[in-house]
Amino acid sequence: MQAVLFDMDGTIIDSEPYWMIAERELVESFGGTWSEEQAYALVGSGLWNSASLLRAAGVDLELDDIVHRLSDRVLAQIEEAVPWRPGVRELFTSLLDAGIPCALVTMSLRKNAEALARAVARELDQEVFQAIVAGDDVTSPKPNPEAYLTAAEALGVDCRSTVALEDSAYGAASAFSAGAVTIGIPLHVGIPESSVHVMWSSLEGVTVDHLREVWRTERMVGSA
């Protein structure tokens, strides 16, 4: 295992409720309605895909404007309170101690990803991510493998030598198809078993040794 690739929303932070608030507020500001079911259907999806569905729900703005309004609203909420997922900060410390490089792979805008990376660095008093791949860095969003392949390339490693941590079906499909050993940690939505190598309930108590063991086991199975 040469690197670990982290999704952001729902994996490092439980920001999905922030996105849902931003979506509902935006749709309602144009006189529409936005259901919880509609919100959950977008979890893990690319922002421009989400924006097109919000536009169909009555948001009379260009797609780029929708994306930036949503992102700014979520960023404002994160700056008020970072909703960390259990165990993630301890796992970062374990990876740093072991010298394992990490990348952030998210469909959020780069400005949001960089803000989260700064928050992690403040929390741990050192930089964690050697690479960031965001939604505005790729041509094809998750579930396409482009984001994870780009992150592995940025770290100078083969994606098959990485472990990816994901909370959504779109994200897991992206990592899995890129060749990463994919660990699903579903939070707000389910993940098909076919899109992950292992499914965990959370990252609480997880260390770099646990990730190495999963990677070794899956690579031994794959080479058998």
Side-chain angles (χ1 to χ4, degrees):
M1 186 185 75
Q2 295 182 1
V4 178
L5 313 177
F6 284 86
D7 171 56
M8 185 172 90
D9 299 297
T11 301
I12 295 174
I13 54 175
D14 182 10
S15 55
E16 297 300 350
Y18 289 176
W19 285 103
M20 292 176 187
I21 288 170
E23 291 159 8
R24 188 186 70 250
E25 288 177 349
L26 187 56
V27 172
E28 289 178 352
S29 74
F30 283 87
T33 58
W34 190 246
S35 70
E36 192 173 84
E37 182 181 5
Q38 287 171 298
Y40 279 118
L42 299 186
V43 173
S45 178
L47 278 173
W48 278 265
N49 176 62
S50 298
S52 67
L53 294 175
L54 290 171
R55 187 175 169 84
V59 178
D60 188 16
L61 294 171
E62 296 298 319
L63 296 185
D64 284 354
D65 291 335
I66 294 173
V67 166
H68 283 281
R69 286 203 188 190
L70 290 176
S71 297
D72 288 345
R73 181 70 179 99
V74 170
L75 187 55
Q77 294 175 86
I78 289 173
E79 288 174 347
E80 289 181 9
V82 180
W84 299 108
R85 294 287 293 127
V88 69
R89 286 170 287 182
E90 293 80 4
L91 178 55
F92 284 144
T93 298
S94 181
L95 289 163
L96 288 167
D97 289 345
I100 303 293
C102 299
L104 184 59
V105 187
T106 176
M107 291 299 93
S108 289
L109 292 183
R110 173 163 282 273
K111 64 183 179 182
N112 291 57
E114 290 177 345
L116 188 277
R118 290 193 296 270
V120 173
R122 285 195 302 270
E123 186 79 15
L124 301 180
D125 202 28
Q126 57 183 312
E127 295 291 337
V128 173
F129 301 110
Q130 283 72 55
I132 296 175
V133 177
D136 40 350
D137 296 327
V138 298
T139 303
S140 300
K142 299 174 184 178
N144 188 283
E146 180 186 352
Y148 277 98
L149 292 171
T150 302
E153 183 179 2
L155 293 177
V157 300
D158 185 329
C159 206
R160 286 180 51 81
S161 71
T162 70
V163 168
L165 301 169
E166 272 284 358
D167 76 297
S168 73
Y170 283 119
S174 173
F176 192 90
S177 60
V181 170
T182 305
I183 299 174
I185 313 152
L187 179 58
H188 295 290
V189 294
I191 303 175
E193 295 280 352
S194 58
S195 295
V196 298
H197 294 89
V198 176
M199 201 85 77
W200 288 348
S201 59
S202 81
L203 291 175
E204 196 160 12
V206 172
T207 68
V208 66
D209 289 335
H210 295 104
L211 301 185
R212 282 176 170 151
E213 181 59 29
V214 171
W215 186 86
R216 280 195 299 265
T217 300
E218 294 304 323
R219 286 295 168 247
M220 286 174 63
V221 170
S223 61

